[in-house]
């Protein structure tokens, strides 16, 4: 049995071989393809266990399933090393820059292989669902009861219930907030199918898309936006008069042909659940938490004007980064549209207030706070401290 020292030496030797190949490819482009083939051979050395270890880390499979997942991972590695069409980006020829991986090639390959395993698992699930035989009582044979995974693939309408019912029960027991459950639901569906997270450019886009999700036709609208993106990727012409909503179209900028087709197979309700969990704005902190946050922030400086600036900045920060209501706000006399108008008005002061904080004498939030994003990050960190029963002293230490 190979010792740890021997395994470490083997990985070091392999890494040196890859660096040498990358160096030769950089100095002579005519041999680049040959050197990439050499690198691929090194990475697939069974003794390095890059692929097999990645598959083992994910869970237990039958021998056939393990072989299929390993084949998927190998094809994915071939795609990025050799530029061949792979399972996730058919027809594309995007190759990784060898210089970008030569610093730690084995660590890079191991991490990439692990990231590909969920996609291989999804392939297995689809194959199982497709190969499930129909019931045939007449010949005395009945198929096995389908697993939750197979039921999911056959009934997208019950996707969340079928696939993650146990997790939802756990979230209820933890008393997670509604937006947290929606975020976890989306993350679980994306993990299940090995898909990238939809892209949102900024808070404005998130809020606009979130408001569109209240429409009755939202699932179909989202599915159509994904179809539009698929048409664009494939170079097909979108019919006149059917131009896509650009905020919705931007959701899918990181999706490949295979990604888009895989998600479309799951149906509009699954697409809507994923998008909702991606764009949902977190419920605003409770009034008690906000009072503690303001008190601690104001205590960072005794300079004139700091206290009032913190009062204004905290209100603008909450309005900019959170929903118009707190999770358990059922006593407010305001309806949703009124609450949203008030929130939007307060959010309009966010950048101005943050800039005033950055220019305040003595930099009370700390010298590392240099941008508007840094101010926002400071408030998020301070809020976490408050929620964890943090103290004013800890906030001062953080600053």
């Amino acid at each position: 049995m190979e010792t740890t020292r021997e395994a470490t030496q083997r990985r070091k030797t392999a890494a040196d071989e890859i660096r040498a190949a990358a160096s030769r490819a950089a100095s002579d482009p005519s041999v680049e393809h040959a050197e990439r083939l050499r690198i691929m051979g090194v990475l697939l050395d069974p003794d390095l266990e890059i692929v097999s270890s990645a598959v083992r880390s994910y869970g237990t499979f039958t021998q056939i399933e393990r072989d299929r997942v390993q084949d998927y991972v190998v094809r994915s590695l071939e795609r990025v090393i050799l530029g061949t069409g792979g399972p996730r980006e058919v027809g594309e020829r995007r190759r990784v820059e060898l210089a970008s991986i030569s610093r730690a090639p084995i660590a890079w390959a191991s991490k990439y292989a692990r990231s590909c395993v969920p996609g291989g698992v999804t392939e297995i699930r689809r194959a199982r669902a497709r190969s499930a035989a129909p019931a045939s009582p007449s010949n005395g044979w009945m198929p096995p009861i389908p697993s939750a995974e197979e039921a999911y693939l056959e009934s997208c309408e019950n996707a969340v219930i079928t696939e993650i019912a146990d997790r939802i029960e756990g979230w209820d027991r933890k008393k997670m907030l509604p937006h947290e459950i929606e975020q976890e639901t989306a993350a679980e569906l994306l993990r299940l199918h090995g898909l990238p997270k939809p892209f949102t450019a900024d808070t404005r886009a998130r809020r606009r898309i979130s408001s569109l999700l209240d429409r009755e036709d939202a699932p179909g609208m989202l599915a159509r936006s994904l179809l539009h993106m698929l048409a664009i990727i494939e170079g097909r012409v979108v019919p006149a008069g059917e131009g896509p909503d650009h905020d919705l179209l931007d959701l899918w900028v990181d999706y490949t042909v295979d990604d888009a087709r895989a998600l479309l197979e799951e149906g509009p309700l699954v697409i809507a659940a994923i998008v909702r969990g991606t764009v949902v704005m977190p419920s605003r902190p409770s009034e008690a938490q906000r009072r503690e946050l303001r008190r601690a922030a104001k205590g960072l400086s005794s300079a004139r004007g700091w206290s009032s600036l913190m009062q204004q900045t905290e209100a603008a920060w909450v309005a900019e980064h959170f929903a118009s209501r707190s999770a358990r706000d059922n006593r407010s006399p305001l309806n949703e549209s009124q609450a949203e108008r008030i929130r939007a008005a307060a959010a309009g002061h966010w950048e101005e207030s943050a800039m005033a904080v950055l220019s305040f004498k003595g930099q009370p939030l700390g010298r590392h706070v240099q941008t508007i994003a840094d101010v926002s990050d400071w408030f998020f960190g301070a809020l976490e401290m408050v929620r964890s029963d943090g103290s004013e002293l800890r906030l001062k230490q953080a600053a």
Side-chain angles (χ1 to χ4, degrees), residues 144-195:
I145 297 174
S147 67
E149 296 161 356
E150 293 161 342
Y152 176 88
L153 290 165
E154 293 184 11
S155 178
C156 65
E157 288 81 3
N158 294 315
V160 176
I161 296 174
T162 304
E163 269 306 317
I164 53 177
D166 290 342
R167 292 182 182 270
I168 291 176
E169 288 182 13
W171 300 337
D172 288 341
R173 286 194 296 271
K174 294 178 183 178
K175 297 183 178 179
M176 292 175 66
L177 297 174
H179 80 272
E180 293 174 327
I181 292 177
E182 289 178 336
Q183 289 171 335
E184 289 291 331
T185 298
E188 184 64 16
L189 289 169
L190 292 170
R191 183 201 64 78
L192 177 66
H193 298 291
L195 295 171

Side-chain angles (χ1 to χ4, degrees), residues 190-206:
L190 292 170
R191 183 201 64 78
L192 177 66
H193 298 291
L195 295 171
K197 183 179 180 180
F199 171 80
T200 50
D202 50 31
T203 301
R204 180 207 62 78
R206 287 179 64 189

